[in-house]
Amino acid sequence: MPSIRLMRSFNTYGYNSEVREFWSNKLAALPTDAPYGETNHTLGKCGLIEAFAGHPREKDAKIIVLRRDLAKQCASYINRHDFSNISLLWQWYLDPQYPNRILKSEPFLKLGQVGCAIWYTLEMECRQVYYQRVYSDRLTFLPIQLETVTRAKAASEFLTELGIHQKPVLPKKKNANQISAQSELVEQIAIHIHNLNFNPEAIVDDYIASGRDLDLMQDQRAA
């Protein structure tokens, strides 16, 4: 997995030489004689898509775009105090102060940790839209909804999309938040997101139209 230094490097400078070196070594080490998958979400925040695009194995790759209810997702972060320590943001999430971001974070930071969690949740939604928009002609994306894919029928359909033809096994939750998201908190967050008129498609449209991209390759070539 990427180190804190590497995560910070990509989200500050884009797909630079040290990030490219990490991915070159990682992709070269992947097995070629058996199916292989990873579910470490930090990879998707550190150049995973950029690395596969143009790589000899890009046609082999299937990128799972995991979505879940935004308000419940955000409430889970808040209940666990995930945004109370900057080291946690650097290692697992995103620092709202990163210069390389799609959604402006300043309006959210007035709300403290809650605002930071909301910004991160919406930024990742924008990044999912961005990557599919920019790279769907080269990579295969499989969008799934967490609340649906954890049911037998949807899980079976998902496995079929991955080319796996067998009955799914649905184990009990192992890494679930032990503190249930309070319904009142979820409702408040849902109202806040609704009042923002959050439209990731429109945000990404504006971001791309401005000539910006997450790999910052234009900036690197100019430098």
Side-chain angles (χ1 to χ4, degrees), residues 26-219:
K26 183 173 179 64
L27 296 185
L30 297 184
T32 58
D33 57 349
Y36 177 82
E38 291 197 33
T39 58
N40 187 334
H41 63 85
T42 61
L43 301 176
K45 296 185 275 272
C46 192
L48 169 70
I49 311 302
E50 288 83 357
F52 264 122
H55 189 273
R57 299 192 65 181
E58 68 175 6
K59 296 303 180 184
D60 296 335
K62 290 183 173 65
I63 311 298
I64 299 169
V65 183
L66 179 62
R67 289 194 167 94
R68 58 183 294 199
D69 180 280
L70 293 178
K72 290 181 179 179
Q73 177 182 346
C74 189
S76 178
Y77 298 143
I78 294 169
N79 280 329
R80 289 194 308 233
H81 305 286
D82 285 353
F83 290 78
S84 62
N85 187 313
I86 189 62
S87 295
L88 289 176
L89 271 66
W90 288 343
Q91 184 170 4
W92 300 112
Y93 302 105
L94 292 171
D95 182 351
Q97 303 293 350
Y98 280 141
N100 195 14
R101 62 191 184 216
I102 296 176
L103 184 65
K104 293 180 180 179
S105 62
E106 288 77 9
F108 296 90
L109 299 185
K110 301 173 184 178
L111 300 175
Q113 294 179 31
V114 172
C116 186
I118 294 174
W119 169 80
Y120 169 78
T121 303
L122 303 187
E123 168 73 8
M124 288 306 299
E125 185 78 4
C126 288
R127 289 196 183 197
Q128 290 175 323
V129 171
Y130 165 84
Y131 279 126
Q132 290 180 87
R133 182 81 58 81
V134 175
Y135 293 98
S136 60
D137 61 331
R138 285 168 281 179
L139 298 170
T140 300
F141 292 90
L142 300 178
I144 60 172
Q145 189 74 26
L146 179 65
E147 292 83 0
T148 302
V149 79
T150 48
R151 301 170 187 167
K153 184 177 183 296
S156 180
E157 293 171 350
F158 172 58
L159 287 181
T160 299
E161 286 189 277
L162 289 174
I164 301 172
H165 303 284
Q166 63 185 53
K167 185 177 180 180
V169 176
L170 300 175
K172 294 181 179 179
K173 296 178 180 179
K174 291 184 179 181
N175 195 32
N177 184 359
Q178 298 302 312
I179 305 174
S180 299
Q182 300 172 4
S183 58
E184 183 177 350
L185 176 60
V186 172
E187 183 178 356
Q188 290 175 348
I189 295 171
I191 293 172
H192 185 75
I193 293 175
H194 175 76
N195 290 339
L196 290 172
N197 294 316
F198 176 63
N199 185 338
E201 297 283 349
I203 293 170
V204 171
D205 281 343
D206 291 342
Y207 179 80
I208 294 175
S210 70
R212 300 175 63 199
D213 48 51
L214 288 176
D215 63 20
L216 294 181
M217 290 303 292
Q218 291 185 358
D219 292 354

